[in-house]
Amino acid sequence: MNTTFPAHTAIEPGILYFGTPVVLISTSNEDGSPNLAPMSSAFWLGWRGMLGLGARSKTTVNLRRTRECVLNLPSDALAAAVDRLALTTGSDPVPPGKLKRGYFHVADKFGRAGLTPVPSETVAPPRVAECPVAMEAVLEAVHPFADEDEAQRGGVVGLEVRVQRVFVHEDIRVPGTADRIDPDRWRPLIMSFQQLYGLGPQVHESTLARISERLYRGPDIDRARSASV
């Protein structure tokens, strides 16, 4: 066995984006028009998601006001469309922090990205037709982030959302099953240190995969069925 490893070196990177899936969040503006914003600070537990967003971003403002959104997951084939939304914001005027980073206002985000809005079933914001996965969700809680630090307090929030519907393209389902995604067919778009990547092939068989996915099904799924159309 090789017992020689590279030595660790202490560094101070400006960001810690080691690689997470890109999410296109659609929300409703005050006039009812849709806003569409890319982000990658998200993770999932059951049928709930935690979204890390700037407290003053247009997506956060819309989500806190309407309590509705759609979490659209683009495949790696949609990288160019996602990149067309980079440095854009639905906020007008552009917040000073974003203005300093080069952001500019765009009202029609769907048009700029070249993506197609389609009506949702349980929420007002539209789904993105081209995204292989689209999850309609509602806001359940807002969690403070870095609240103990006066310099950061109020700048970022964790938005806990509960999924009410999951829609997928047929070509990413496990053939012959009703509710399973085929990880060999699903190729999410990944952001790693501000760069866009695809997902490579499976590198090792997972022991965890021996557990049936149905054993993870929680009460939020039953609750989602009662969401009105």
Side-chain angles (χ1 to χ4, degrees):
M1 178 183 294
N2 182 11
T3 57
T4 303
F5 303 100
H8 283 120
T9 301
I11 65 172
E12 296 179 341
I15 55 176
L16 298 175
Y17 279 67
F18 286 95
T20 48
V22 173
V23 184
L24 290 177
I25 305 180
S26 51
T27 56
S28 296
N29 296 318
E30 290 83 354
D31 62 1
S33 63
N35 185 57
L36 188 65
M39 60 88 74
S40 59
S41 296
F43 70 88
W44 323 96
L45 287 172
W47 271 42
R48 301 211 176 197
M50 183 65 76
L51 314 174
L53 289 166
R56 299 171 187 84
S57 75
K58 189 63 176 175
T59 295
T60 301
V61 171
N62 285 347
L63 186 49
R64 296 187 76 164
R65 187 186 72 257
T66 67
R67 308 190 74 80
E68 295 183 338
C69 69
V70 180
L71 309 174
N72 304 278
L73 305 185
S75 68
D76 54 8
L78 295 174
V82 171
D83 194 54
R84 285 192 287 271
L85 293 174
L87 297 181
T88 67
T89 176
S91 298
D92 186 19
V94 179
K98 287 194 170 182
L99 194 63
K100 183 179 179 181
R101 293 182 174 93
Y103 279 74
F104 54 96
H105 171 68
V106 172
D108 182 9
K109 297 284 200 69
F110 275 89
R112 179 174 178 84
L115 298 172
T116 309
V118 294
S120 294
E121 190 172 279
T122 66
V123 297
R127 303 195 300 268
V128 178
E130 292 83 356
C131 286
V133 180
M135 298 179 283
E136 298 176 9
V138 293
L139 180 66
E140 290 288 7
V142 178
H143 303 276
F145 198 83
D147 203 41
E148 81 292 342
D149 185 352
E150 185 177 351
Q152 300 183 75
R153 186 181 303 131
V156 178
V157 291
L159 302 169
E160 181 184 342
V161 297
R162 177 174 55 82
V163 173
Q164 295 192 145
R165 291 288 189 277
V166 179
F167 294 93
V168 301
H169 289 176
E170 187 65 26
D171 60 4
I172 68 168
R173 287 173 56 182
V174 175
T177 68
D179 302 313
R180 292 190 60 195
I181 305 296
D182 188 338
D184 287 323
R185 297 182 175 197
W186 166 226
R187 315 316 291 170
L189 183 63
I190 302 294
M191 173 160 280
S192 178
F193 289 95
Q194 298 181 284
Q195 301 291 343
L196 296 171
Y197 293 88
L199 189 67
Q202 182 181 4
V203 296
H204 195 280
E205 183 178 350
S206 171
T207 300
L208 191 64
R210 298 172 189 170
I211 301 173
S212 170
E213 288 186 10
R214 297 196 64 83
L215 295 179
Y216 292 104
R217 294 173 70 89
D220 280 338
I221 297 179
D222 295 328
R223 186 176 177 187
R225 294 195 191 104
S226 65
S228 24
V229 175

